[in-house]
């Protein structure tokens, strides 16, 4: 859910404001790929179907099983497979979760993060939760941006997700710029994006920190 909706007419100026607040060159390069006003609208119809087909192919390249049905039937990730009857951007977001989850959580329901936006069996997802608080929020931010970068890589409307996931909230502020640059740095340091800011197929290998 977008916290502060941005009118279409105001979007170019908002994007410029965010861009001008960034100092890190890699962050600027990545943002320039995301910040295409034409990509602020989700695909529909046959194009949306094609986007989902390509997202499913990326899952297969990662060795991730995709089974029929909506996440609302139970979970987006059962611990063994993703539910495939969803939007392409949701599937790419789940692939990013798979990459960034600690190994001990990679085979837990919804990656041990608790209930997600489309989770049907909320009680079971919450029972499986193992990461909480600030650590969970930090991982969710990295997952969000990595999923968006997979959209960019596939030529899908990444800016729509960037807006939906509130990356432009407070555009132009030091806090908003620092948050974006910090997440970019974490993804780059972990090898999840390359030196050009493109997503890799790396999976996280280090465990969660002790509580």
């Amino acid at each position: 859910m977008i916290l502060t909706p941005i009118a279409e007419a105001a979007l170019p100026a908002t994007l410029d404001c965010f861009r001008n607040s960034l100092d890190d060159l890699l962050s600027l390069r990545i943002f320039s790929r995301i910040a295409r006003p034409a990509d602020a609208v989700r695909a529909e119809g046959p194009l949306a179907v094609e986007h989902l087909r390509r997202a499913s192919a990326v899952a297969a390249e990662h060795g991730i099983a995709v089974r029929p049905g909506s996440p609302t039937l139970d979970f987006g990730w059962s611990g063994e497979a993703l539910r495939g009857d969803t939007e392409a951007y949701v599937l790419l977001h789940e692939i990013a979760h798979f990459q960034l989850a600690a190994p001990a959580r990679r085979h837990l329901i919804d990656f041990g993060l608790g209930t997600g936006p489309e989770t049907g069996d909320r009680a079971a997802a919450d029972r499986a939760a193992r990461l909480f608080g600030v650590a969970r929020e930090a991982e969710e931010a990295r997952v969000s941006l990595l999923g968006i970068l997979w959209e960019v890589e596939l030529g899908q409307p990444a800016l729509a997700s960037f807006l939906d996931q509130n990356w432009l909230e407070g555009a132009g502020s030091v806090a908003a710029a620092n948050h974006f640059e910090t997440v970019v740095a974490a993804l780059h340091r972990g090898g999840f994006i390359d030196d050009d800011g493109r997503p890799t197929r790396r999976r996280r290998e280090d465990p969660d920190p002790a509580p």
Side-chain angles (χ1 to χ4, degrees):
M1 181 180 67
I2 299 175
L3 295 177
T4 307
I6 300 171
E8 183 179 355
L11 183 57
T14 304
L15 293 171
D16 285 344
C17 187
F18 191 90
R19 181 183 290 106
N20 292 337
S21 71
L22 298 174
D23 294 320
D24 174 63
L25 292 179
L26 181 58
S27 297
L28 280 163
R29 189 179 304 129
I30 287 171
F31 182 70
S32 292
R33 292 198 190 105
I34 296 169
R36 293 164 41 93
D39 289 340
V41 179
R42 301 282 185 205
E44 297 180 350
L47 183 58
V49 173
E50 173 60 17
H51 285 180
L52 181 58
R53 185 195 68 77
R54 295 192 67 194
S56 297
V58 172
E61 291 167 7
H62 282 268
I64 303 171
V66 179
R67 59 178 175 157
S70 166
T72 59
L73 294 172
D74 44 30
F75 322 106
W77 171 249
S78 68
E80 297 179 351
L82 294 173
R83 284 290 192 181
D85 293 351
T86 186
E87 302 289 339
Y89 71 91
V90 175
L91 203 59
L92 293 171
H93 182 86
E94 294 299 321
I95 291 167
H97 268 301
F98 182 86
Q99 290 183 260
L100 288 163
R105 285 188 287 107
R106 195 168 285 133
H107 298 290
L108 295 179
I109 291 168
D110 285 346
F111 304 102
L113 296 171
T115 299
E118 294 192 322
T119 303
D121 191 343
R122 300 170 67 89
D126 285 341
R127 284 196 302 270
R130 297 293 183 274
L131 195 68
F132 306 94
V134 173
R136 182 183 188 278
E137 292 173 9
E139 183 165 306
E140 289 283 6
R142 293 192 293 271
V143 166
S144 169
L145 188 55
L146 185 58
I148 289 167
L149 293 178
W150 276 114
E151 291 184 72
V152 173
E153 193 70 10
L154 297 178
Q156 299 185 10
L159 183 56
S161 294
F162 201 75
L163 290 165
D164 284 351
Q165 295 167 38
N166 296 301
W167 286 96
L168 287 180
E169 188 71 21
S173 69
V174 172
N178 284 349
H179 177 58
F180 183 73
E181 291 179 342
T182 297
V183 175
V184 166
L187 290 175
H188 187 227
R189 186 168 58 248
F192 301 104
I193 58 175
D194 65 18
D195 291 344
D196 197 37
R198 297 184 182 279
T200 70
R201 289 178 172 77
R202 181 177 175 81
R203 296 182 190 180
R204 179 176 165 187
E205 297 175 357
D206 58 301
D208 289 321

